Amino acid sequence: MRIGDAAAAVGTTPRALRFYEQRGLLPPPPRTRSGQRDYGPRELAVLRVIRELLALGLTVEDLRGIAGRLPLLAVHPAPRCGATAPDRGGPGVVGEAVVERRIAALDAEIERLTRLRDGLRAGLSGRHGGDGLTPRRTTAESGLSARHGDDRPRRSMAG
């Protein structure tokens, strides 16, 4: 199966498949005589595992550290993350350390976003008789274009 068909089969794009290959998540698939990638059932199974783990919140960098074990998940789908494999007596294929690091990163991001939200809320409630948010700079000072009716920054020609 060619790259476009393989990408469609796992719900992504050919560009994503090339990216996974470049980042070491997926070994290069065999090639046709004309040099095109030729994906088979084994590659598709690994791609499905990659997509599932990314959907669970792991990152490409998380998966790079366990790329050699990703085919195991395609063959033995359980356990997915840090749980112990009862029939093998060892840690899950993804590994507890990878999952714990990701959870810690998510917790830190949740704390950062909570502080940001609370700061915005305090700004709204701290002002009486107005919208609570006073711009610190004018449109001209901020580099935003009022003339174009949008909030995109404009680059100066002098830089």
Side-chain angles (χ1 to χ4, degrees):
M1 163 178 316
R2 302 297 183 266
I3 193 167
D5 296 329
V10 298
T12 192
T13 64
R15 183 176 180 190
L17 271 56
R18 288 186 205 98
F19 177 74
Y20 299 155
E21 186 180 328
Q22 289 169 351
R23 301 303 289 163
L25 303 184
L26 182 68
R31 300 249 179 184
T32 64
R33 287 185 189 179
S34 63
Q36 294 180 327
R37 291 170 175 87
D38 191 19
Y39 294 89
R42 186 179 356 205
E43 290 85 11
L44 289 178
V46 173
L47 284 167
R48 284 185 184 99
V49 167
I50 290 168
R51 300 288 297 158
E52 182 180 334
L53 292 172
L54 291 172
L56 286 172
L58 294 175
T59 66
V60 168
E61 290 305 311
D62 294 332
L63 298 183
R64 281 186 72 193
I66 59 162
R69 294 183 281 171
L70 292 175
L72 294 174
L73 281 173
V75 176
H76 303 288
R80 284 285 187 231
C81 293
T84 299
D87 60 335
R88 294 186 292 265
V93 176
V94 174
E96 190 172 335
V98 171
V99 174
E100 288 296 329
R101 276 194 308 270
R102 188 64 191 135
I103 290 170
L106 289 170
D107 286 343
E109 182 67 2
I110 289 167
E111 287 177 31
R112 184 187 74 79
L113 291 170
T114 300
R115 284 191 308 271
L116 182 61
R117 182 202 59 209
D118 292 348
L120 286 170
R121 187 173 285 145
L124 286 173
S125 65
R127 297 279 303 182
H128 301 298
D131 65 5
L133 297 176
T134 304
R136 294 180 189 257
R137 300 186 297 176
T138 65
T139 300
E141 292 170 333
S142 68
L144 301 178
S145 174
R147 180 176 47 137
H148 290 94
D150 63 24
D151 291 340
R152 291 179 289 164
R154 304 287 180 209
R155 292 186 180 175
S156 73
M157 301 302 276

